Amino acid sequence: MNPIIHVNEKDNVVTCLRPLSKGESVEIEGRTITANADIPVFHKMAIEPIEPGGVCYKYGEVIGDATEAIGIGDHVHLHNIESTRGRGDKQL
Amino acid sequence: MKIQAYRRANGRFGIRNHLLVMPTSVCATATAERIAALVPGAVSIPNQHGCCQIDSDLSLTQKTIVGFGKNANVGAVLVVGLGCDGIQASAAAAEVAETGKPVQHIVIQECGGTLKAIAKGAELAAPMARELSMQKREECDISELIMGLECGGSDPTSGLASNPTIGYASTKLVDNGGSSILSETTEVIGAEHLLAARFDDPVQREKFLSLVKAVEDRAISLGEDLRSGQPTPGNKVGGLSTIEEKSLGCMYKAGTSPFTGALDYAEGVPEAHGLYFMDTPGQDIDSITGMVAGGAQLVIFSTGRGTPTGSPIAPVIKITGNPETYEKMPDNIDINAGRIIAGGATVPQIGEELFDMMVEVCNGGMPKAESLGHHEFGIYKLTGTF
């Protein structure tokens, strides 16, 4: 079984279908990506670099903004992306 | 496509034949529960509202409980009121009676207290239950089925496997002339542009978009961070990072049918069949309650983390896309869509399996939530209690 699923070609993150260990390499569409951290099952890994404030795509759609620089192979989750919607805390 | 169900006076059909003992307010709930416990075949609903509510919430409570009374899975109704509560038992009974089903009502203060009300209620309910027990299932067309679509305890497998499977079954039902309801407005935030494009009627499309905007604006106006409630802690542990990601996975439940219309919470599904959106919160119990009040006779519920939820009057079929959850919660989960992720099965394969189970449940077979007696009930609140 392929350990990752890349839902849409526009997506800069993939979903891991089993846990990945730090340093483990996986193949995706002819490229080799190495996990920079232990990534739990069904969590996301970046396959493109994303600038701080840059957009994360899954299903070919926006799922949030990067809060810091994200590198290829990074675990993408609460520590480095955030929702942009329904944010009363961001109102002046 | 035909199923065996209970024909009602107004032409609708029920896949269950419940006698509903319906409390109009929290003050009548304990009495209603005890009447239902005395009469085999009767069910009650734990209404926690209906008193000291202001207009918007009071009318929502009335619409919800009356919707339960009107639901085609209910064959007869005994309404129980306290007397001084916000919703008068006689008014609620009159609304339910519009369906043509047998309806009676009692008022606790007029009966002379709890014990006399229980005795009077059981005296009225027992013959109604006996009458319902004699009714036979008849051949009905599945086009009269209204199905509620729900997901809860989501993880990324919900968007990848179980929700697309529900979408397959929903599209097949709509293709066969039936109706489905997508709900949970909070969990549409971030996916509304994709769903809006599927409304043919511009008025209904605008209503749908305004419902989503109203929920987001409410979170903003409270000055709170929506992230404190969505995704939930379990969603996050499972791998969902943002409400947008959750919503984009949730919407797969709607399959590929065009949308016929957008409904308010607990609003009755119109005679026109097809796929509807209903304005409900992301909280599963309140959401299912709204759809059942709107007429859903059956609910399909996908879960990644595992959840036991049922409904007092509508069977709830559980499906998971997470193979580990299927292994861990065999008591609760009916269908294993985890085989799509772990076993190479396809969405149409598991979708057909789900559709077969839907037909079986319509014909009287119990899904696990129903066999375990799960009958959760909750009414969406817009304001507060005054």
Side-chain angles (χ1 to χ4, degrees), chain B residues 9-69:
Chain B
N10 62 355
R12 298 261 169 136
F13 73 72
I15 61 173
R16 295 295 181 268
N17 210 21
H18 294 297
L19 166 64
L20 178 64
V21 183
M22 189 176 102
T24 57
S25 71
V26 60
C27 313
T29 289
T31 303
E33 280 170 352
R34 289 163 80 178
I35 294 167
L38 285 172
V39 181
V43 293
S44 186
I45 48 175
N47 179 8
Q48 296 303 308
H49 303 301
C51 196
C52 297
Q53 292 183 290
I54 53 172
D55 189 47
S56 56
D57 261 327
L58 187 64
S59 58
L60 197 64
T61 300
Q62 179 151 351
K63 191 159 81 164
T64 306
I65 59 165
V66 165
F68 262 61

Side-chain angles (χ1 to χ4, degrees), chain B residues 12 63 263-270 278 293-295:
Chain B
R12 298 261 169 136
K63 191 159 81 164
L263 307 170
D264 295 324
Y265 184 85
E267 184 178 348
V269 174
M278 181 182 282

Side-chain angles (χ1 to χ4, degrees), chain B residues 65-145:
Chain B
I65 59 165
V66 165
F68 262 61
K70 287 183 166 181
N71 187 297
N73 283 353
V74 170
V77 180
L78 172 67
V79 181
V80 182
L82 174 61
C84 57
D85 26 16
I87 299 168
Q88 291 295 295
S90 55
E95 276 193 77
V96 174
E98 289 166 10
T99 58
K101 66 181 75 173
V103 183
Q104 307 250 25
H105 74 274
I106 59 167
V107 175
I108 297 167
Q109 287 163 352
E110 289 172 10
C111 287
T114 301
L115 296 176
K116 294 185 187 74
I118 292 169
K120 178 70 181 168
E123 196 182 311
L124 292 171
M128 288 200 280
R130 275 200 302 278
E131 190 70 28
L132 287 180
S133 76
M134 316 272 186
Q135 191 179 354
K136 302 265 187 300
R137 285 179 182 266
E138 301 170 36
E139 189 173 86
C140 301
D141 198 276
I142 203 164
S143 60
E144 293 303 317
L145 184 68

Side-chain angles (χ1 to χ4, degrees), chain B residues 307-329:
Chain B
T307 166
T309 311
S311 161
I313 61 166
V316 177
I317 298 174
K318 289 280 162 50
I319 174 168
T320 186
N322 188 322
E324 201 176 302
T325 297
Y326 187 74
E327 293 299 322
K328 272 167 63 180
M329 293 184 69

Side-chain angles (χ1 to χ4, degrees), chain B residues 121-362:
Chain B
E123 196 182 311
L124 292 171
M128 288 200 280
R130 275 200 302 278
E131 190 70 28
L132 287 180
S133 76
M134 316 272 186
Q135 191 179 354
K136 302 265 187 300
R137 285 179 182 266
E138 301 170 36
E139 189 173 86
C140 301
D141 198 276
I142 203 164
S143 60
E144 293 303 317
L145 184 68
I146 302 170
M147 184 163 77
L149 312 174
E150 184 69 29
C151 60
S154 299
D155 72 11
T157 67
S158 303
L160 295 172
S162 53
N163 288 343
T165 304
I166 290 185
Y168 177 93
S170 170
T171 301
K172 182 164 176 173
L173 176 65
V174 172
D175 287 348
N176 275 279
S179 303
S180 281
I181 313 171
L182 180 74
S183 64
E184 303 177 278
T185 314
T186 320
E187 298 173 14
V188 164
I189 294 173
E192 67 266 59
H193 57 297
L194 300 169
L195 295 170
R198 291 164 52 184
F199 280 77
D200 293 332
D201 180 344
V203 175
Q204 294 297 314
R205 183 188 308 128
E206 278 314 305
K207 179 176 178 184
F208 165 72
L209 286 170
S210 70
L211 293 172
V212 182
K213 185 172 186 305
V215 167
E216 185 172 16
D217 285 349
R218 184 141 68 103
I220 291 170
S221 70
L222 293 169
E224 297 276 359
D225 181 351
L226 185 66
R227 295 181 306 169
S228 60
Q230 289 279 4
T232 66
N235 296 152
K236 291 173 185 170
V237 172
L240 292 174
S241 308
T242 63
I243 187 65
E244 294 94 318
E245 182 184 10
K246 186 174 174 178
S247 297
L248 289 162
C250 286
M251 67 161 219
Y252 282 98
K253 297 196 298 295
T256 55
S257 312
F259 278 90
T260 303
L263 307 170
D264 295 324
Y265 184 85
E267 184 178 348
V269 174
E271 294 291 335
H273 300 186
L275 177 64
Y276 286 85
F277 177 80
M278 181 182 282
D279 181 28
T280 75
Q283 201 258 40
D284 304 333
I285 318 296
D286 291 7
S287 179
I288 290 176
T289 298
M291 291 188 286
V292 172
Q297 303 109 310
L298 175 67
V299 177
I300 310 292
F301 190 127
S302 79
T303 179
R305 311 278 296 168
T307 166
T309 311
S311 161
I313 61 166
V316 177
I317 298 174
K318 289 280 162 50
I319 174 168
T320 186
N322 188 322
E324 201 176 302
T325 297
Y326 187 74
E327 293 299 322
K328 272 167 63 180
M329 293 184 69
D331 290 354
N332 302 95
I333 313 290
D334 297 292
I335 302 264
N336 178 14
R339 286 171 289 161
I340 293 167
I341 285 173
T346 65
V347 167
Q349 277 168 359
I350 311 294
E352 286 294 329
E353 198 177 303
L354 174 59
F355 197 86
D356 288 348
M357 181 166 187
M358 284 160 48
V359 171
E360 213 173 270
V361 169
C362 283

